[in-house]
């Protein structure tokens, strides 16, 4: 399925208001679930829907919209069978009841060790000059960022010893990509793995995947062999990788037996509120872990905002929760509730909280216990030296009620002032776009009634003199059939709307994506 709409054909299906800056040239790629039923079968969780890739291409003041389903092996199998035949995060699939006993037995045997779906619906990531639809499993699918065609599947396990990997890598100024994965089964002692894919990793003849040139930076052993920490993202400064080993854990035994116990993979994640959070600092250059035990109280984290170094401290910002109920909000039966009923049902859910942690890098051996080691003046975050030499960290709360954070990526790994995100009320749907000023602890919002904006993406202007010189792009949908979806363009400094392009077709809520400047495709 493909749709293309042009500004100059506005009389047919495209309504264009305002004006787009002439310097905005490139493509905004978005990824998220787009198909929730196949034949007579339906997914149970929003994170299970089959991946639909969107693109908004900006060229000389015009906007071109396109969408295609990711042609993963999962998609092909489901469509060919006219039913859901591949299990997902919240939907476990069992053999067709019409199969004979031998086929059923074989299916059960094959699921003893999960071979995860390749329905990569979370993000678009770059390795070398290649772009991939990604999720958190061992498979990624390469796509053409211009046509959105699916070019082929790559298995991380063929290149580096991991079973899972994040969909939120980091990119340095040279174009190198840093990412993290988990080695659970068949790779020796269980561990977390940090790796790098060089900027020049792409095969010019397109015969080998960029992952063929992957470099392992280091590995970190699990603190609990059968209960590895779940992680959705990580932090990176100029010299360090920041890995938060949280108390939200994957139960390996439950994962291996989920199929037989008639439970989904999502139920294998558990939050241990009585545990602690360990924070690992790893040198990007040497791969060695900083010899200090940093820890904090238990919390759940999905998204890091940014991290940087200042005056012999590592500062990192992330979005935390006090429970792990976020995933439950996105079961389809929950999302179909009206807002009032949803609020009443889920009023005890933890709200997302943007928090800052500060880690001191140099600790004087003569420092007495129970001393706060943080010397920075612009934060209330603390790092208390304990009697045993460990460092107990408590955060500085910056803002509450925001998710899907983004920044001016030119300030990634650097001290920064602004971040952007979607305002989240007591509903699974984002209601506003927000800009947070960390220095003043104030915020601005953009809102449209009955509309739900996607993750805001910042694009810097080419002659930017300040951090917020640029635009914010967000795809906006509404559940009011009288309101068509649209792409909104905001001036990032004033946070005022400067343009919108209304699309005369269905557009689904999405998750993550990136902007590709037209000189980098």
């Amino acid at each position: 399925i493909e749709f293309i709409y042009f500004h100059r054909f506005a009389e047919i299906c495209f309504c264009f208001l305002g004006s787009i800056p002439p310097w905005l040239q490139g493509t905004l790629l978005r990824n998220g679930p787009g198909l929730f039923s196949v034949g007579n079968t339906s997914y149970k969780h929003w994170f299970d829907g089959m991946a639909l890739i969107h693109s908004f291409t900006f060229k000389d003041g015009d906007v071109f919209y396109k969408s295609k389903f990711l042609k993963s092996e999962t998609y092909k199998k489901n469509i060919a069978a006219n039913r859901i035949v591949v299990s997902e995060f919240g939907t476990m699939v069992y053999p067709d009841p019409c199969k004979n006993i031998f086929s059923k037995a074989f299916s059960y045997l094959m699921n003893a060790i999960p071979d995860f779906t390749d329905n990569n619906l979370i993000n678009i990531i770059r390795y070398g000059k290649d772009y991939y639809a990604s999720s958190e499993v061992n498979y990624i699918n390469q796509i053409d960022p211009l046509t959105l065609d699916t070019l082929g599947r790559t298995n991380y396990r063929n290149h580096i010893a991991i079973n899972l990997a994040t969909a939120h890598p980091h990119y340095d100024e040279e174009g190198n990509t840093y990412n993290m994965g988990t080695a659970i089964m068949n790779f020796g002692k269980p561990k977390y793995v940090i790796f790098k894919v060089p900027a020049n990793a792409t095969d010019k003849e397109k015969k080998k995947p960029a992952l063929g040139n992957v470099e392992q930076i280091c590995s970190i052993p699990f603190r609990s062999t059968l209960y590895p920490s779940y992680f959705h993202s990580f932090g990176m400064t100029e010299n360090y990788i920041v890995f938060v080993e949280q108390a939200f854990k994957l139960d390996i035994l439950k994962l291996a037996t989920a199929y037989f116990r008639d439970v989904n993979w999502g139920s294998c994640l558990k939050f241990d509120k009585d545990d602690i959070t360990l924070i690992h600092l790893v040198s990007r250059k040497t791969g060695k872990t900083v010899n200090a035990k940093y820890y904090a109280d238990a919390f759940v984290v999905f998204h890091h905002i940014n991290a940087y170094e200042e005056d012999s401290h590592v500062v990192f910002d992330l979005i935390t929760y006090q429970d792990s109920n976020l995933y439950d909000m996105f079961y389809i039966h929950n999302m179909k509730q009206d807002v009032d009923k949803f609020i009443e049902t889920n009023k005890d859910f933890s709200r997302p909280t943007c928090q800052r942690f500060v880690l001191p890098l140099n600790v004087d051996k003569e420092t007495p216990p129970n001393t706060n080691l943080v010397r920075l003046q612009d934060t209330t975050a603390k790092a208390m030296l304990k009697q045993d030499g460990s460092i107990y960290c408590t955060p500085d709360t910056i803002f509450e009620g925001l998710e899907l954070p983004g920044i001016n990526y030119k300030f990634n790994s650097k001290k920064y002032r602004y971040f952007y995100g979607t305002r989240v009320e007591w509903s699974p749907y984002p209601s506003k776009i927000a800009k947070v000023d960390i220095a003043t602890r104030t915020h601005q919002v953009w809102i449209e009634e009955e509309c739900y904006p996607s993750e805001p993406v910042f694009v810097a202007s080419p002659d930017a003199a300040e951090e917020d010189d640029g635009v914010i792009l967000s795809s906006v949908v509404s559940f009011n059939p009288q309101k068509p979806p649209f792409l909104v363009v905001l001036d990032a400094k004033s946070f005022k709307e400067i343009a919108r392009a209304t699309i005369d077709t269905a557009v689904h809520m999405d998750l993550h994506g990136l902007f590709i400047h037209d000189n980098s495709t």
Side-chain angles (χ1 to χ4, degrees), residues 1-140:
I1 299 175
E2 178 176 347
F3 307 93
I4 306 179
Y5 298 97
F6 302 88
H7 175 187
R8 56 181 176 272
F9 291 162
E11 68 274 15
I12 299 174
C13 52
F14 204 107
C15 180
F16 193 88
L17 299 174
S19 60
I20 291 175
W23 56 261
L24 187 60
Q25 306 280 327
T27 298
L28 174 67
L29 288 177
R30 304 295 303 165
N31 195 358
L35 185 63
F36 298 91
S37 297
V38 183
N40 295 321
T41 59
S42 297
Y43 289 113
K44 297 179 180 179
H45 200 282
W46 189 65
F47 293 162
D48 296 343
M50 284 195 282
L52 181 64
I53 312 296
H54 306 260
S55 71
F56 297 87
T57 297
F58 301 85
K59 187 172 179 62
D60 301 328
D62 285 345
V63 184
F64 303 77
Y65 175 74
K66 184 181 298 184
S67 68
K68 285 185 180 181
F69 284 107
L70 181 71
K71 301 305 189 300
S72 62
E73 291 303 309
T74 295
Y75 177 91
K76 294 174 186 176
K77 290 176 181 178
N78 288 344
I79 297 302
N82 195 33
R83 62 188 293 265
I84 297 170
V85 296
V86 180
S87 296
E88 298 287 345
F89 171 83
T91 307
M92 190 63 77
V93 176
Y94 294 91
D96 187 329
C98 298
K99 283 187 176 183
N100 61 42
I101 188 64
F102 298 105
S103 296
K104 290 182 180 181
F106 182 72
S107 295
Y108 278 92
L109 179 64
M110 290 298 292
N111 281 278
I113 299 178
D115 184 27
F116 295 110
T117 172
D118 68 340
N119 178 32
N120 303 125
L121 78 160
I122 294 180
N123 203 357
I124 305 295
I125 65 176
R126 177 179 58 77
Y127 286 129
K129 295 183 178 180
D130 300 334
Y131 292 88
Y132 297 85
S134 65
S135 48
E136 296 180 327
V137 295
N138 55 297
Y139 295 115
I140 51 177

Side-chain angles (χ1 to χ4, degrees), residues 345-398:
T345 304
N346 302 289
K347 59 185 178 182
D348 294 330
F349 278 16
S350 168
R351 293 183 75 193
T353 303
C354 307
Q355 295 190 309
R356 168 163 292 183
F357 286 84
V358 179
L359 310 179
L361 291 172
N362 300 320
V363 180
D364 190 329
K365 294 181 180 179
E366 303 302 319
T367 303
N370 299 316
T371 298
N372 179 18
L373 302 174
V374 177
R375 300 189 306 277
L376 304 181
Q377 300 301 309
D378 60 352
T379 181
T380 59
K382 295 181 179 180
M384 304 298 292
L385 180 64
K386 307 306 286 185
Q387 189 72 43
D388 62 359
S390 62
I391 300 172
Y392 172 56
C393 303
T394 55
D396 175 7
T397 295
I398 299 172

Side-chain angles (χ1 to χ4, degrees), residues 113-411:
I113 299 178
D115 184 27
F116 295 110
T117 172
D118 68 340
N119 178 32
N120 303 125
L121 78 160
I122 294 180
N123 203 357
I124 305 295
I125 65 176
R126 177 179 58 77
Y127 286 129
K129 295 183 178 180
D130 300 334
Y131 292 88
Y132 297 85
S134 65
S135 48
E136 296 180 327
V137 295
N138 55 297
Y139 295 115
I140 51 177
N141 273 282
Q142 187 178 355
I143 64 166
D144 184 317
L146 299 179
T147 66
L148 305 188
D149 290 339
T150 305
L151 304 180
R153 186 172 79 170
T154 297
N155 189 340
Y156 277 110
R157 293 189 298 200
N158 293 336
H159 306 283
I160 188 168
I162 56 175
N163 301 92
L164 308 169
T166 85
H168 287 287
H170 284 275
Y171 311 99
D172 66 17
E173 293 179 343
E174 288 73 42
N176 303 304
T177 304
Y178 294 79
N179 207 349
M180 282 194 66
T182 305
I184 302 174
M185 296 171 287
N186 303 327
F187 294 125
K189 190 175 180 179
K191 54 189 175 292
Y192 309 106
V193 177
I194 300 172
F195 61 92
K196 169 185 171 183
V197 179
N200 61 356
T202 297
D203 180 9
K204 294 181 179 180
E205 297 181 359
K206 302 291 184 179
K207 294 181 180 180
K208 297 180 181 179
L211 278 175
N213 293 300
V214 65
E215 303 169 7
Q216 179 172 315
I217 295 176
C218 79
S219 64
I220 302 170
F222 296 173
R223 57 172 159 154
S224 177
T225 302
L226 294 178
Y227 301 95
S229 173
Y230 169 80
F231 56 97
H232 185 74
S233 62
F234 60 98
M236 188 172 81
T237 72
E238 181 181 354
N239 294 294
Y240 298 98
I241 299 291
V242 182
F243 169 49
V244 175
E245 190 174 12
Q246 62 180 324
F248 188 33
K249 306 172 186 178
L250 178 63
D251 187 320
I252 299 298
L253 292 181
K254 284 187 176 180
L255 178 70
T257 59
Y259 191 82
F260 308 105
R261 294 183 297 107
D262 193 21
V263 298
N264 60 44
W265 291 327
S267 68
C268 302
L269 288 167
K270 295 296 180 184
F271 175 54
D272 184 354
K273 62 182 178 59
D274 298 319
D275 201 355
I276 62 170
T277 300
L278 285 181
I279 304 167
H280 303 273
L281 277 186
V282 178
S283 169
R284 287 171 53 182
K285 297 176 182 178
T286 67
K288 294 182 178 180
T289 303
V290 171
N291 187 26
K293 180 184 178 182
Y294 303 102
Y295 73 100
D297 293 333
F299 58 78
V300 173
V301 56
F302 300 98
H303 295 117
H304 285 245
I305 303 172
N306 198 9
Y308 61 91
E309 297 162 45
E310 182 179 14
D311 190 21
S312 297
H313 299 76
V314 166
V315 180
F316 68 97
D317 302 334
L318 35 72
I319 297 176
T320 68
Y321 297 81
Q322 293 306 304
D323 59 44
S324 59
N325 294 329
L326 178 68
Y327 277 139
D328 293 340
M329 293 173 62
F330 288 91
Y331 277 100
I332 300 298
H333 69 269
N334 278 336
M335 297 185 73
K336 288 183 176 180
Q337 298 181 95
D338 62 62
V339 173
D340 291 338
K341 184 177 180 181
F342 184 92
I343 291 173
E344 179 62 28
T345 304
N346 302 289
K347 59 185 178 182
D348 294 330
F349 278 16
S350 168
R351 293 183 75 193
T353 303
C354 307
Q355 295 190 309
R356 168 163 292 183
F357 286 84
V358 179
L359 310 179
L361 291 172
N362 300 320
V363 180
D364 190 329
K365 294 181 180 179
E366 303 302 319
T367 303
N370 299 316
T371 298
N372 179 18
L373 302 174
V374 177
R375 300 189 306 277
L376 304 181
Q377 300 301 309
D378 60 352
T379 181
T380 59
K382 295 181 179 180
M384 304 298 292
L385 180 64
K386 307 306 286 185
Q387 189 72 43
D388 62 359
S390 62
I391 300 172
Y392 172 56
C393 303
T394 55
D396 175 7
T397 295
I398 299 172
F399 192 75
E400 291 188 358
L402 182 142
E403 253 293 1
L404 302 178
I407 62 171
N408 177 346
Y409 206 77
K410 292 182 179 179
F411 285 79

Side-chain angles (χ1 to χ4, degrees), residues 406-421:
I407 62 171
N408 177 346
Y409 206 77
K410 292 182 179 179
F411 285 79
N412 190 54
S413 302
K414 300 179 177 68
K415 187 170 184 177
Y416 71 119
R417 179 170 178 173
Y418 305 106
F419 64 91
Y420 311 86

